[in-house]
Amino acid sequence: MARWLLRFGAAATAGLTVSGLYAAARVDPNDVGFIRIGRAVATTAVISYDYLASLRGLEYGTEEYESVKSQVHRRSAHHLLKLCRANRGTFIKVGQHLGGLDYLLPEEYTSTLKILHSQAPQSSLQEIKQVIQEELGKEILVQSVSWLFPDFSFAWLVDETKKNMPLELDFLKEGHNTEKMAKMLKHFHFLKVPKIHWELSTSRVLAMEFMEGGQVNDREFMKENGINVNEITQYLGKLYSEMIFVNGFVHCDPHPGNVLVRKSPQTNKAEIVLLDHGLYQTLTDEFRLDYCRLWRSLIKTDMKGIETYSRQLGAGDLYPLFACMITARSWASISKGIDQVPVSENEDVEIRLNAAKYLPRINELLNKVPRQMLLLLKTNDLLRGIETSLQTRANASSFITMSRCCIRAVSRYEKDASTSWYRKLKISLTEALVLWQISLYEILLWVKSSSLGSWISGIDTRNHPLQ
């Protein structure tokens, strides 16, 4: 595990040399590339030495080894946190990503780096005022700034989207993304997206409605406010399945600081507040449909389909590893059916060990798949991390939702491509039948998990006692 983390850190920091956006007149040393790289190299060296020196001579797997390893994990996580805060920019994004990988990284790392989800380094009030004055051409009172930006921190982009940075850092574009998402998913009444105040916005200033809520991975907040974690997981599944499979326009930064939950003041129903709309991935139709068909194959345990569509998405002979990466499940679980086999503690341990063992293959795979897959993998990681925090991983409802969206997306494409009304009718009837079968399966699952299901099972047990 330590070796994987060190190698990941070295690989990640090697390319993170973006210039900083700094509003003050002087040059901030933290924005100088060689200082940032030097700090990263020094941190990596310190962590490496700590693991080597602390674990030397200890027998692997013993209680003492595990205790010392946990302590080194904790110290190393704090070193990484300090590095992210000092280097800011893309390092913050990497730290936020790592903090969301509860299913993959040791608890010592995720609990420490989670701080970056809500307590990332912030620009000073003077810096904010200077940008506002430059852009709006007028003095803004401190009270007004506090109202407009109650928790302001600049959202940097992850390394794989650096080529799009000039566009992504345009706050007007982020504002338009925000409105596009709100319109696209307006049928989801549980989704709330901040309103944009265009009269106070420019390419460098984005003024929006302030919306409160607890972080989506905060079980205690949900318990205190009477919010059902399973309902929130279902909502997230619906949101992202619709974005990915149906619309191909995907919010790619769902770390817990960007996804809030709350009870509606009007209806008292649970709502999801989606923030930070700067980073989106637009999927091509070909990619989106292949990805749909791959997930359908995964849910149906169609091993031939898994291989076929994984190869079409660029995985080649590494298709088993690719399937494991996008599902965060082991190959054994995929072979048995990911909707049939619940995630176990042993499987989580296996996934963590394999992440270290297969790192060279993972790197090879990431270089082979289409670039639009990278942000989807990142998004999957963050969503799986949220499910792990909420203890709802591998919930059958998420697979049911994905199945519905995949079927709708493929059917819509086939109908649009067909010129025959008979063919269109046949596709529509087939779609309706399959969706009805999914709904029936969902009802059966609900009955099975309900008190009625327990009662029926009890009667069956009494009628068929063990011999």
Side-chain angles (χ1 to χ4, degrees):
M1 188 72 239
R3 185 177 302 170
W4 177 80
L5 285 167
L6 295 175
R7 294 180 65 181
F8 178 86
T13 55
L16 304 181
T17 56
V18 296
S19 60
L21 177 63
Y22 193 67
R26 62 182 176 81
V27 175
D28 188 339
N30 289 314
D31 293 334
V32 180
F34 75 86
I35 292 178
R36 290 154 61 84
I37 293 178
R39 189 183 287 126
V41 171
T43 300
T44 303
V46 168
I47 293 175
S48 300
Y49 179 78
D50 195 2
Y51 275 106
L52 293 173
S54 300
L55 299 177
R56 184 183 293 122
L58 299 180
E59 184 179 350
Y60 178 81
T62 63
E63 185 176 338
E64 181 183 11
Y65 179 92
E66 293 301 322
S67 175
V68 173
K69 183 177 71 172
S70 177
Q71 295 172 28
V72 180
H73 281 342
R74 185 76 63 185
R75 290 196 297 269
S76 301
H78 281 286
H79 286 309
L80 286 178
L81 176 62
K82 185 178 179 180
L83 171 67
C84 291
R85 283 175 159 171
N87 276 7
R88 304 182 309 182
T90 315
F91 285 81
I92 294 292
K93 300 303 295 183
V94 173
Q96 290 173 338
H97 189 185
L98 295 177
L101 301 183
D102 296 83
Y103 74 95
L104 182 60
L105 299 183
E107 183 275 337
E108 295 87 348
Y109 279 92
T110 56
S111 63
T112 300
L113 294 172
K114 273 186 170 82
I115 293 173
L116 296 172
H117 291 155
S118 57
Q119 299 180 34
Q122 299 177 344
S123 301
S124 71
L125 185 59
Q126 181 58 39
E127 293 167 4
I128 298 172
K129 284 182 64 179
Q130 180 168 340
V131 173
I132 291 175
Q133 289 170 0
E134 289 175 358
E135 291 297 302
L136 300 182
K138 57 187 177 181
E139 182 71 30
I140 303 295
L141 296 177
V142 173
Q143 292 85 350
S144 299
V145 176
S146 300
W147 175 73
L148 289 174
F149 304 100
D151 190 22
F152 182 88
S153 63
F154 193 77
W156 291 86
L157 306 180
V158 292
D159 186 54
E160 62 263 27
T161 59
K162 190 164 58 177
K163 63 181 182 297
N164 294 324
M165 189 169 290
L167 292 175
E168 299 287 359
L169 292 183
D170 185 339
F171 282 175
L172 291 178
K173 181 176 177 62
E174 178 175 347
H176 290 303
N177 286 343
T178 304
E179 292 190 334
K180 180 177 180 179
M181 173 57 60
K183 182 179 180 181
M184 187 176 76
L185 299 182
K186 63 182 179 181
H187 55 289
F188 289 142
H189 300 295
F190 59 82
L191 173 64
K192 300 301 173 183
V193 177
K195 178 183 176 182
I196 304 299
H197 297 287
W198 288 112
E199 70 278 7
L200 295 173
S201 298
T202 75
S203 62
R204 296 175 65 200
V205 174
L206 184 63
M208 67 180 72
E209 177 186 5
F210 176 60
M211 307 185 83
E212 294 185 279
Q215 290 190 179
V216 70
N217 62 343
D218 190 342
R219 285 178 60 88
E220 284 303 311
F221 175 87
M222 295 189 201
K223 183 178 180 180
E224 292 170 2
N225 289 272
I227 298 174
N228 188 310
V229 294
N230 291 313
E231 186 177 35
I232 293 300
T233 299
Q234 292 173 12
Y235 287 169
L236 274 177
K238 288 180 180 180
L239 282 179
Y240 274 86
S241 292
E242 192 87 4
M243 286 186 216
I244 294 170
F245 301 118
V246 179
N247 296 297
F249 185 65
V250 189
H251 179 287
C252 287
D253 202 14
H255 69 70
N258 287 341
V259 186
L260 307 182
V261 294
R262 68 179 190 181
K263 274 289 186 72
S264 169
Q266 289 78 30
T267 65
N268 203 38
K269 293 183 179 180
E271 295 178 337
I272 288 181
V273 179
L274 193 59
L275 306 175
D276 194 350
H277 297 264
L279 183 56
Y280 272 78
Q281 177 72 68
T282 301
L283 308 178
T284 65
D285 285 343
E286 181 182 7
F287 176 93
R288 179 173 58 85
L289 291 167
D290 281 341
Y291 196 59
C292 279
R293 290 163 178 146
L294 172 59
W295 267 106
R296 284 181 62 184
S297 299
L298 286 164
I299 294 170
K300 293 165 58 179
T301 322
D302 175 6
M303 305 309 290
K304 182 62 178 178
I306 293 172
E307 178 180 357
T308 298
Y309 295 113
S310 294
R311 288 183 180 277
Q312 288 186 200
L313 288 168
D317 292 337
L318 297 177
Y319 70 88
L321 177 61
F322 181 66
C324 292
M325 288 173 64
I326 67 171
T327 59
R329 301 297 302 271
S330 67
W331 183 247
S333 295
I334 291 173
S335 301
K336 294 176 184 177
I338 56 177
D339 62 335
Q340 302 296 322
V341 182
V343 180
S344 66
E345 186 176 344
N346 288 336
E347 184 177 3
D348 276 339
V349 172
E350 179 185 349
I351 290 171
R352 288 189 174 98
L353 291 175
N354 285 340
K357 182 178 178 181
Y358 294 109
L359 183 63
R361 292 292 186 89
I362 292 173
N363 287 334
E364 179 184 347
L365 182 58
L366 292 178
N367 284 323
K368 295 176 67 173
V369 296
R371 297 298 91 187
Q372 53 194 323
M373 177 58 72
L374 296 179
L375 283 178
L376 278 191
L377 289 171
K378 170 183 178 288
T379 303
N380 283 346
D381 281 345
L382 293 171
L383 292 173
R384 297 298 84 75
I386 291 171
E387 289 178 353
T388 300
S389 297
L390 298 181
Q391 300 174 18
T392 57
R393 275 190 69 203
N395 190 315
S397 64
S398 63
F399 297 117
I400 290 172
T401 299
M402 292 174 70
S403 295
R404 283 196 177 104
C405 286
C406 289
I407 290 165
R408 285 170 49 211
V410 173
S411 297
R412 185 175 70 181
Y413 172 79
E414 290 177 347
K415 284 187 287 187
D416 289 344
S418 175
T419 56
S420 166
W421 69 268
Y422 175 75
R423 172 66 177 160
K424 289 178 185 287
L425 178 62
K426 184 178 179 181
I427 294 170
S428 296
L429 291 175
T430 302
E431 177 187 3
L433 176 62
V434 175
L435 291 176
W436 178 82
Q437 290 173 334
I438 292 174
S439 296
L440 179 61
Y441 176 64
E442 187 175 24
I443 293 172
L444 291 174
L445 287 178
W446 177 80
V447 171
K448 184 178 179 181
S449 63
S450 67
S451 56
L452 176 61
S454 301
W455 180 71
I456 294 174
S457 298
I459 292 177
D460 186 65
T461 301
R462 291 194 294 272
N463 291 337
H464 302 85
L466 294 175
Q467 302 298 322

